């Protein structure tokens, strides 16, 4: 039974034994539900991932919604599923549990002998929530058996209801990738129920082909810092519809996951049409800024992906961006595909 004697203040140095005695939860899993305390305890140790050749875990660069911490889900081999700790983390808000993040920080030292004890010190980061807009994504990474599989990367944000803001250190930043290789993979189809359940719950280029990202609903309402807002998932819906269009035409569709030596984090393309050797970047609006961003992304991705000679680039939009942007794309040799009421204009590419 938890006794709640430990005060969780961001920056606190503690151990799993002390946290377990105070709030419950087992001592060895990465994600430990503590029902008696209405908590889910998340223990992050980025160095574990580095041992297996991937560097996904840690604090990513802040974006327009503030701090972001990425955490790889449970499951050492095979595709990770939303069971056990992964399900508890995904459903923490729906289950009425707060999410508490700890990061491994050195060894536990015996104060009498000065020797290392079993286990690692835990530094308390703070109370978090899953990103309401994108609670997770999936990436490819080797398991402990060396076999590539699909892993869940949870997106953690500071909880706006927390008493104290999270406390990060420079050491928490995602380390740069070390691999320098391009790996082409055939990809299993991810269970659609993964996406649906998540919506219901509130070293040179290393490139892997992964499944295309799809969202099950057109929009969702999320509570985020700054108040409630409606999040339009136009890009995801557009990508999903066009993928179905290509598959119906007999095309094979994949995407790429790119890790770059010396650079933290990964890049993920939208669509790659294997049949026609076309790399697509989709945008949810026809605004000039978005079209210009798509152009930059395509040129960036093209340098790294493992595609046959003659790769073509294309921008996928929900409507006509206007004459000037059409001319811009044509000048750069980038094709344009537009969604229409009847289907897609611009496919097949000339």
């Amino acid at each position: 039974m938890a006794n709640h004697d430990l005060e969780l203040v961001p920056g606190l140095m503690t151990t799993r034994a002390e946290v377990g005695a105070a709030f419950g939860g087992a001592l060895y899993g990465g994600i430990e539900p503590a029902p008696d305390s209405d908590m889910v305890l998340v223990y992050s140790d980025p160095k574990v991932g580095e041992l297996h050749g991937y560097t996904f875990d840690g604090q990513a660069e802040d974006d327009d919604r503030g701090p972001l911490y990425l955490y790889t889900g449970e499951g050492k081999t095979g595709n990770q599923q939303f069971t056990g700790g992964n399900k508890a983390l995904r459903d923490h808000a729906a289950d009425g549990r707060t999410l508490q993040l700890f990061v491994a920080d050195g060894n536990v030292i015996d104060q009498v002998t000065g020797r290392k004890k079993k286990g690692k010190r835990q530094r308390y980061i703070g109370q978090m929530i899953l990103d309401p807009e994108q609670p997770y994504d999936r990436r490819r990474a080797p398991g402990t058996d060396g076999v590539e599989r699909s892993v869940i990367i949870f997106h953690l944000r500071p909880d706006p209801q927390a008493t104290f803001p999270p406390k990060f250190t420079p050491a928490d930043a995602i380390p740069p990738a070390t691999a320098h290789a391009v790996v082409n993979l055939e990809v299993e189809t991810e269970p659609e129920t993964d996406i649906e359940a998540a919506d219901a719950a509130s070293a040179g280029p290393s490139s892997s082909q992964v499944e295309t990202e799809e969202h099950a609903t057109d929009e969702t309402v999320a509570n985020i810092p700054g108040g409630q807002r409606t999040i339009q998932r136009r890009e995801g819906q557009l990508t999903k519809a066009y993928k179905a269009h290509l598959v119906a035409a007999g095309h094979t569709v994949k995407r790429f996951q790119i890790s770059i030596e010396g650079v933290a984090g990964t890049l993920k393309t939208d669509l790659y049409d294997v049949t026609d050797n076309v790399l697509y970047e989709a945008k949810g609006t026809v605004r000039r800024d978005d079209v210009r961003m798509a152009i930059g992304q395509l040129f960036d991705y093209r340098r790294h992906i493992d595609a046959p000679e003659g790769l073509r680039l294309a921008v996928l939009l929900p409507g006509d961006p206007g004459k000037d942007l059409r001319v811009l794309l044509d000048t750069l040799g980038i094709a344009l595909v537009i969604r229409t009421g009847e289907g897609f204009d611009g496919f097949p590419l000339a």
Side-chain angles (χ1 to χ4, degrees):
M1 180 69 70
N3 59 36
H4 305 270
D5 286 340
L6 189 67
E7 183 179 5
L8 291 179
V9 177
L12 170 73
M13 296 298 296
T14 183
T15 65
R16 292 193 61 152
E18 291 173 344
V19 175
F23 303 106
L27 300 181
Y28 301 105
I31 306 171
E32 291 298 341
D36 292 341
S37 304
D38 291 327
M39 293 179 176
V40 175
L41 308 173
V42 177
Y43 296 96
S44 178
D45 189 352
K47 292 189 180 299
V48 173
E50 291 183 59
L51 293 175
H52 299 295
Y54 61 90
T55 53
F56 298 151
D57 292 29
Q59 185 185 12
E61 290 186 11
D62 289 5
D63 57 21
D64 60 347
R65 297 196 303 282
L68 172 65
Y69 192 93
L70 303 183
Y71 177 79
T72 303
E74 290 184 336
K76 296 182 179 180
T77 60
N79 292 339
Q80 291 183 349
Q81 305 294 336
F82 282 105
T83 57
N86 293 334
K87 182 177 185 300
L89 199 165
R90 185 197 67 190
D91 297 344
H92 81 93
D95 294 338
R97 297 175 182 173
T98 60
L99 190 62
Q100 310 296 339
L101 175 62
F102 300 82
V103 173
D105 192 330
N107 297 295
V108 178
I109 304 298
D110 189 299
Q111 298 302 311
V112 176
T113 66
R115 296 178 179 176
K116 296 178 183 179
K117 297 176 65 176
K118 187 175 182 180
K120 295 184 178 181
R121 294 189 307 171
Q122 300 294 326
R123 176 164 43 84
Y124 177 57
I125 297 294
Q127 185 166 305
M128 312 292 283
I129 59 171
L130 278 184
D131 186 326
E133 186 170 348
Q134 187 180 13
Y136 73 92
D137 69 273
R138 281 190 175 272
R139 303 182 189 179
R140 304 292 295 184
T144 54
D145 56 3
V147 178
E148 293 279 347
R149 67 330 184 354
S150 172
V151 297
I152 304 165
I153 307 297
F154 289 102
H155 296 201
L156 309 184
R157 299 279 189 182
D159 188 341
Q161 305 300 320
T163 303
F164 305 102
K167 185 175 182 179
F168 295 102
T169 72
D172 297 323
I174 296 175
T178 58
H180 192 113
V182 176
V183 181
N184 296 297
L185 301 173
E186 293 298 326
V187 181
E188 309 88 349
T189 301
E190 294 299 337
E192 184 68 17
T193 51
D194 283 359
I195 301 291
E196 293 171 350
D199 284 332
S202 202
S206 173
S207 172
S208 304
Q209 295 179 2
V210 296
E211 68 282 359
T212 54
E213 181 176 8
E214 300 175 2
H215 293 289
T217 58
D218 288 330
E219 63 181 42
T220 184
V221 175
N223 290 306
I224 63 171
Q228 188 181 70
R229 75 176 182 185
T230 299
I231 301 167
Q232 300 291 338
R233 290 186 169 138
R234 299 187 185 97
E235 183 175 322
Q237 284 294 307
L238 180 63
T239 302
K240 178 180 179 180
Y242 192 56
K243 175 191 173 183
H245 184 77
L246 290 174
V247 171
H251 290 222
T252 300
V253 181
K254 296 181 180 179
R255 68 191 302 208
F256 291 94
Q257 172 183 296
I258 305 168
S259 299
I260 303 171
E261 182 180 7
V263 178
T266 59
L267 305 175
K268 294 174 77 173
T269 66
D270 284 336
L271 283 169
Y272 172 61
D273 182 348
V274 179
T275 306
D276 276 356
N277 195 21
V278 181
L279 180 66
Y280 288 91
E281 180 63 27
K283 291 299 173 189
T285 78
V286 297
R287 296 180 305 182
R288 179 174 296 272
D289 284 350
D290 284 342
V291 175
R292 292 167 66 184
M293 180 180 292
I295 292 169
Q297 288 174 286
L298 286 170
F299 284 136
D300 189 13
Y301 297 150
R302 183 176 64 179
R303 300 179 304 133
H304 301 302
I305 66 173
D306 183 24
E309 185 177 352
L311 174 71
R312 291 182 289 174
L313 306 179
V315 171
L316 175 63
L317 297 176
D320 187 351
K323 179 180 178 180
D324 187 61
L325 290 176
R326 292 198 306 270
V327 171
L328 173 62
L329 292 170
D330 186 61
T331 301
L332 296 171
I334 298 176
L336 173 64
V337 176
I338 298 170
R339 189 172 191 176
T340 65
E342 297 75 30
F344 290 90
D345 185 22
F347 177 84
L349 273 61

